[in-house]
Amino acid sequence: MKPETRQQEIIRVAAKLFKEKGYSAVTMRHLATAMDIKAASLYNHIESKQDILERIIISLAETFTQGMKQISESNETCIEKLKKIIELHVHISSKNSYGMASLNNDWMHLETQLNHYKKLRSDYENDFKTILEDGIKSGEIIHAKPDVMMFSILTTLRSLYIWIPKKEDLNLEELSENLNNILINGIAIE
């Protein structure tokens, strides 16, 4: 693994501060203090706090959207596609819980990239909804409102960043499997 660049370190530390304090409450001075450098030195590596937020959120949103596109265009069954979506969320959330907090809580603070973010999110959700609709048509999934199913599944997946860091001995494969059982198969005994 390549060593972290100063810019990557700034973004990582900022994401942690944004999660802990909220984007609006964090200043460049807070970030400089957390990194034990002068605030002016930060600007050698990044343009602004907004630049950091954009890099965090857009990078993650693009990763999710690209992953969803690959999943939705695959020849797998709808159930297999849903399992892959869950695995995608578990993988990304486990690698970047701080960034996930910004993605979920701070996206509305985006300025120049807000429309781009909204398009990425819309594309992701449209692909997700299409998978659910196709699953209903093919008889793989119960006949229910795709919007409600998507909301239910995504609410759980989007909050993984809160839960994952609290688990010290977490097996990501096992977590994906358990989430598949609960989110796709349900909890009722038939």
Side-chain angles (χ1 to χ4, degrees):
M1 207 163 97
K2 291 193 312 189
E4 185 177 56
T5 66
R6 191 64 155 169
Q7 185 181 68
Q8 290 168 330
E9 180 186 11
I10 291 167
I11 292 169
R12 179 181 50 77
V13 172
K16 183 175 189 275
L17 289 173
F18 295 165
K19 181 181 180 189
E20 292 169 353
K21 299 175 184 251
Y23 172 77
S24 297
V26 175
T27 65
M28 292 300 274
R29 184 156 289 154
H30 290 129
L31 179 54
T33 300
M35 296 194 62
D36 197 27
I37 61 174
K38 293 187 186 312
S41 298
L42 290 172
Y43 295 103
N44 293 327
H45 305 282
I46 50 102
E47 292 179 29
S48 64
K49 185 172 91 163
Q50 179 64 209
D51 177 47
I52 296 169
L53 185 68
E54 288 176 358
R55 288 173 189 251
I56 293 167
I57 291 176
I58 298 303
S59 172
L60 283 169
E62 287 174 345
T63 302
F64 274 114
T65 303
Q66 290 164 1
M68 174 61 85
K69 189 60 70 189
Q70 288 176 343
I71 292 166
S72 69
E73 291 174 354
S74 75
N75 292 324
E76 305 215 36
T77 66
C78 294
I79 293 297
E80 285 304 313
K81 288 178 181 182
L82 291 173
K83 289 178 179 180
K84 297 277 186 199
I85 292 168
I86 290 169
E87 290 171 11
L88 178 70
H89 275 267
V90 167
H91 176 75
I92 293 172
S93 296
S94 69
K95 300 280 183 234
N96 198 342
S97 66
Y98 298 136
M100 288 301 298
S102 288
L103 180 69
N104 287 315
N105 303 324
D106 299 322
W107 63 268
M108 69 288 301
H109 297 293
L110 291 172
E111 294 170 4
T112 60
Q113 294 288 320
L114 182 59
N115 288 335
H116 179 55
Y117 167 76
K118 286 181 176 179
K119 176 154 181 12
L120 290 168
R121 184 174 176 156
S122 176
D123 290 349
Y124 178 93
E125 290 177 354
N126 287 336
D127 285 345
F128 198 132
K129 191 173 167 186
T130 298
I131 291 168
L132 293 170
E133 289 167 345
D134 290 348
I136 292 168
K137 286 178 196 163
S138 70
E140 289 179 69
I141 299 173
I142 62 168
H143 189 76
K145 290 198 175 276
D147 286 342
V148 174
M149 285 189 281
M150 182 176 70
F151 172 77
S152 299
I153 294 169
L154 281 180
T155 299
T156 298
L157 297 178
R158 286 179 173 157
S159 62
L160 284 173
Y161 76 93
I162 299 167
W163 188 75
I164 286 176
K166 296 176 182 175
K167 303 296 175 192
E168 291 175 16
D169 59 347
L170 188 64
N171 178 319
L172 298 179
E173 192 174 308
E174 188 178 302
L175 174 61
S176 292
E177 198 174 297
N178 279 304
L179 286 169
N180 283 327
N181 271 335
I182 294 165
L183 296 175
I184 297 173
N185 300 332
I187 59 172
I189 298 174
E190 294 185 33

